[in-house]
């Protein structure tokens, strides 16, 4: 079952009030996507950049220096 939720979720510690964010749940996994507003102090790959997330078990993927995808296990 796929759960599509347009409501923002604050547990990812990103800007939760952006209207262009969404959360997608597929089985036991979640994908949270939003526009990235964080100013990085290092040079970022122009196509894709991967890093460990803020919480254990999260992976952050930055696409085209603009879109942030957070992959995690679903809770509850």
């Amino acid at each position: 079952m796929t759960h599509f939720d347009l409501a923002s979720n604050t547990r990812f510690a990103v800007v939760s009030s952006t209207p262009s964010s969404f959360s997608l749940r597929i089985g036991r996994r979640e994908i949270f996507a939003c526009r990235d507003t964080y100013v990085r102090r290092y040079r970022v790959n122009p196509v894709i950049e991967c890093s460990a997330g803020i919480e254990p078990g999260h992976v952050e993927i930055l696409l085209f220096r603009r879109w942030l995808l957070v992959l995690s296990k679903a809770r509850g």
Side-chain angles (χ1 to χ4, degrees), residues 3-67:
H3 176 68
F4 186 70
D5 184 16
L6 289 176
S8 59
N9 199 342
T10 59
R11 79 169 184 241
F12 292 111
V14 292
V15 178
S16 61
S17 62
T18 57
S20 60
S21 66
F22 66 90
S23 178
L24 180 69
R25 182 174 177 175
I26 302 172
R28 296 185 314 175
R29 307 287 183 215
E30 282 186 357
I31 300 171
F32 178 76
C34 68
R35 295 281 298 232
D36 186 42
T37 58
Y38 182 73
V39 177
R40 287 167 174 74
R41 304 282 184 209
Y42 56 90
R43 190 168 181 87
V44 178
N45 190 331
V47 178
I48 188 168
E49 179 81 22
C50 296
S51 64
I54 296 172
E55 295 182 24
H58 287 102
V59 175
E60 293 182 354
I61 301 171
L62 183 64
L63 296 173
F64 305 113
R65 296 182 183 165
R66 182 167 292 169
W67 290 99

